[in-house]
Amino acid sequence: MKKALVCGAGGFIGGHLVNRLKSEGYWVRGVDLKQNEFGNNQADEFIIGDLTLLNVAMNALEGGFDEVYQLAADMGGAGYIFTGFNDASVMHNSALCNLNILEASANAGVGKIFYSSSACMYPEYNQLDPENPKCSEDSAYPAAPDSEYGWEKLFSERLYLAYQRNRGLDVRIARFHNIFGPCGTWQGGKEKAPAAMCRKVAEATDGTFIEVWGDGKQTRSFLYIDDCIDAIRALVKSDFSGPVNIGSEEMISINDFAQMVIDIANKKLTINNITGPQGVRGRNSDNSLIFKKLGWKPSLTLRQGMELTYKWVSKQVAISVTA
Ligand code: NAD
Ligand code: GDD
């Protein structure tokens, strides 16, 4: 039986990944600061621990692993990473997790190690035109991410590649483009636009409005969680190290996205654009490389993924109202 360690298993993507690995017959150990808050975790063993501490990373690696998945990070949506208030902790905590997990993995002689980077590492100068952003993998340099979160991701990508060159690790690096779906953070300040839109629409009554940050003309693409997990598994099974985009090419403006959620909910609401943290003006995944290397492309449309997500978030809203 293959053994996998999932770092960040208490989080959104980590929780889904643990369950996929279990369904594929793996023995799985999870490690995180916290358990998955939605009970969405079938790990065989779960260590509550802080991976900014080297001894916690070393303990997590004990016993030997075929595959390590590194998803632990101090992260959130625009309301968390673009305000400037969390820059020091984001860089400090995430960099230490990566440094410790790599050192412990190299010492333990693991098979493959997967790292979850982000589209936030791409330079801002290629993401100024909302209709025509450029995020191909070869456009990463000259580096100019618009957030410290993005700079840490870029530094850590380089760290993983250095451990591949010098310490014998077999590395896989993905650059995620806004992943969404059930069991993700939907309130509290770290939620991203998909969950935030669902929550706002679910809470609003007909004839009122929802608030959307910025002028709503900024663009993004969003990838449903099951497609993301498929792509992670395809990358790890392949001989390709990356870095490679894992995202959707279905770009949409944020106001159109908000309207999509209003339509899904079948509510009569208007959109009120307000000042808020916005990040880059436009972003879209470029899937040429992942299709060429792995033959992967998303299976769900944005609308299909958002219908599933709205159903889940609106249920959480209803539960929280009655609690
Ligand atoms: P998440 O916040 O739900 O999960 C991250 C997990 O890491 C959390 O459960 C958190 O408790 C854990 N963690 C943080 N610091 C830790 C520490 N010191 N020790 C142990 N655990 C710690 O986020 P997610 O959406 O599941 O993202 C997973 C990974 O993918 C992250 O590295 C993130 O930066 C990256 N990513 C995600 C997206 C996205 O849209 N979700 C996009 C780009 C990149
Ligand atoms: N979160 C949020 N909440 N965003 C909103 C809201 C709201 O209520 N209203 C409008 N937006 C706008 C933001 O201003 C931003 O322009 C856009 O929606 C997308 O915001 P997020 O989903 O929060 O973040 P992001 O796409 O800028 O960055 C996310 O994706 C990256 C990868 O592509 C983050 O999750 C990053 O951590 C991630 O690396």
Side-chain angles (χ1 to χ4, degrees), residues 7-15 31-37 49-53 56 70-76 93-94 97-98 114-120 149 152-153 174-180 183-185 190 192 223 225:
C7 305
F12 166 51
I13 303 173
V31 56
D32 201 302
L33 290 169
K34 59 168 180 67
Q35 265 287 0
N36 191 287
E37 60 202 286
D50 183 349
L51 289 162
T52 64
L53 305 171
V56 171
Q70 192 340 49
L71 298 127
D74 192 347
M75 73 86 72
N93 296 342
S94 299
C97 287
N98 287 315
F114 170 88
Y115 173 55
S116 51
S117 182
S118 166
C120 287
Y149 169 80
E152 189 282 327
K153 288 293 187 191
R175 294 172 179 162
F176 292 154
H177 289 247
N178 213 322
I179 315 301
F180 72 98
C183 300
T185 305
K190 287 189 170 183
K192 291 171 278 110
L223 180 70
I225 182 68

Side-chain angles (χ1 to χ4, degrees), residues 10 22 195 212 294:
K22 283 306 301 169
V212 171
L294 308 179

Side-chain angles (χ1 to χ4, degrees), residues 185-205:
T185 305
W186 59 277
Q187 63 175 350
K190 287 189 170 183
E191 66 278 10
K192 291 171 278 110
M197 298 302 171
C198 290
R199 187 197 70 235
K200 289 177 181 186
V201 169
E203 287 172 345
T205 48

Side-chain angles (χ1 to χ4, degrees), residues 11-78:
F12 166 51
I13 303 173
H16 283 273
L17 179 62
V18 165
N19 297 345
R20 174 66 65 87
L21 291 167
K22 283 306 301 169
S23 74
E24 291 184 26
Y26 279 68
W27 186 92
V28 183
R29 178 182 291 160
V31 56
D32 201 302
L33 290 169
K34 59 168 180 67
Q35 265 287 0
N36 191 287
E37 60 202 286
F38 307 112
N40 177 38
N41 208 304
Q42 298 156 13
D44 296 281
E45 233 178 68
F46 200 100
I47 298 175
I48 300 286
D50 183 349
L51 289 162
T52 64
L53 305 171
L54 182 57
N55 69 314
V56 171
M58 305 266 279
N59 287 342
L61 263 300
E62 254 175 35
F65 286 92
D66 300 290
E67 293 166 15
V68 172
Y69 294 83
Q70 192 340 49
L71 298 127
D74 192 347
M75 73 86 72

Side-chain angles (χ1 to χ4, degrees), residues 69-207:
Y69 294 83
Q70 192 340 49
L71 298 127
D74 192 347
M75 73 86 72
Y80 188 70
I81 59 173
F82 299 136
T83 58
F85 297 124
N86 304 303
D87 289 349
S89 60
V90 163
M91 296 186 92
H92 174 267
N93 296 342
S94 299
L96 275 179
C97 287
N98 287 315
L99 286 160
N100 290 338
I101 291 161
L102 272 168
E103 187 60 22
S105 297
N107 290 341
V110 301
K112 292 177 180 173
I113 182 161
F114 170 88
Y115 173 55
S116 51
S117 182
S118 166
C120 287
M121 50 62 61
Y122 283 115
E124 185 178 22
Y125 57 77
N126 281 332
Q127 300 173 87
L128 298 173
D129 176 359
E131 299 306 321
N132 200 23
K134 182 177 177 187
C135 291
S136 55
E137 287 81 352
D138 61 4
S139 70
Y141 295 94
D146 69 319
S147 66
E148 302 301 357
Y149 169 80
W151 278 106
E152 189 282 327
K153 288 293 187 191
L154 192 58
F155 162 77
S156 288
E157 283 190 9
R158 300 187 69 96
L159 190 66
Y160 279 78
L161 293 172
Y163 269 76
Q164 176 155 265
R165 286 195 304 277
N166 299 162
R167 300 287 301 277
L169 284 176
D170 191 4
V171 164
R172 302 286 181 276
I173 301 173
R175 294 172 179 162
F176 292 154
H177 289 247
N178 213 322
I179 315 301
F180 72 98
C183 300
T185 305
W186 59 277
Q187 63 175 350
K190 287 189 170 183
E191 66 278 10
K192 291 171 278 110
M197 298 302 171
C198 290
R199 187 197 70 235
K200 289 177 181 186
V201 169
E203 287 172 345
T205 48
D206 278 344

